[in-house]
Amino acid sequence: MAALIIGGLGAPVTAAANNVASQFPARVLAVHNAARAEAGVQPLAWDPALGQAAASYAMQLALTNSFQHSDRRARPGTGENLWMGTRGAFSYDAMVGRWASERRDFVPGIFPAVSRSGNWEKVGHYTQMVWPTTTRVGCAVASNAANDFLVCRYSPAGNIDGRPVPYATTVSAASARSR
């Protein structure tokens, strides 16, 4: 059986979980906005409706123990990042930080030609996080006996073919100096 532990729906079971739950939106938003600041784009705002939609899908993933993106027709205009890991082994910062770490393979350009490897899927979570026209995010975590499932929903969606994914000039220059 799956249990929703953090996110847009339900309440945590224990007092300790309640403290962690109250930190969830702030922590997830902070990691997103740190990545966005480094990329030179405006910060995201937390959207409770996106969080509720993410919670519903996270629960579905936990109940079915599956790991696949939702049908795009069920979330028109909304982007989605997914993460799965051993239950209780990862902090929120580590979960979202995994997506942010894809920055190392990112190159500014026209999507999908934005990866050092030529495979946009190596940077797709990161590019959704820093997509310049995305303004809102909502996320949730659900768990089953073995795994935690993090779902974040973004509006408007990013990763649109033919659109530029810029990167702050000052950050690029700083990165060049550190090589």
Side-chain angles (χ1 to χ4, degrees):
M1 178 165 206
L4 183 66
I5 57 171
I6 307 294
L9 299 173
V13 178
T14 67
N18 192 27
N19 185 38
V20 171
S22 68
Q23 297 173 14
F24 179 77
R27 291 304 321 143
V28 169
L29 194 57
V31 177
H32 275 85
N33 285 336
R36 290 178 69 82
E38 288 178 5
V41 294
Q42 294 297 310
L44 296 174
W46 187 262
D47 185 317
L50 290 173
Q52 288 182 344
S56 178
Y57 192 62
M59 181 62 81
Q60 182 180 334
L61 293 176
L63 286 169
T64 60
N65 200 38
S66 60
F67 189 64
Q68 63 186 23
H69 281 283
S70 63
D71 186 331
R72 287 181 187 212
R73 293 172 295 192
R75 54 177 170 87
T78 304
E80 180 177 81
N81 275 351
L82 305 178
W83 179 94
M84 181 181 79
T86 303
R87 183 177 182 159
F90 298 90
S91 68
Y92 305 136
D93 289 29
M95 292 174 184
V96 180
R98 178 74 172 167
W99 299 332
S101 74
E102 293 175 2
R103 174 180 169 244
R104 69 181 172 269
D105 294 319
F106 171 77
V107 293
I110 304 299
F111 194 84
V114 292
S115 172
R116 293 185 197 291
S117 71
N119 180 359
W120 73 268
E121 292 177 346
K122 299 278 186 188
V123 299
H125 301 103
Y126 173 74
T127 54
Q128 175 57 84
M129 289 177 72
V130 301
W131 197 262
T133 58
T134 297
T135 59
R136 300 181 324 275
V137 65
C139 306
V141 173
S143 299
N144 60 27
N147 295 304
D148 291 329
F149 296 84
L150 170 64
V151 176
C152 286
R153 296 276 174 92
Y154 302 85
S155 183
N159 293 349
I160 301 168
D161 287 352
R163 300 279 176 90
V165 189
Y167 201 71
T169 305
T170 55
V171 174
S172 296
S175 296
R177 286 192 303 268
S178 66
R179 287 184 209 171

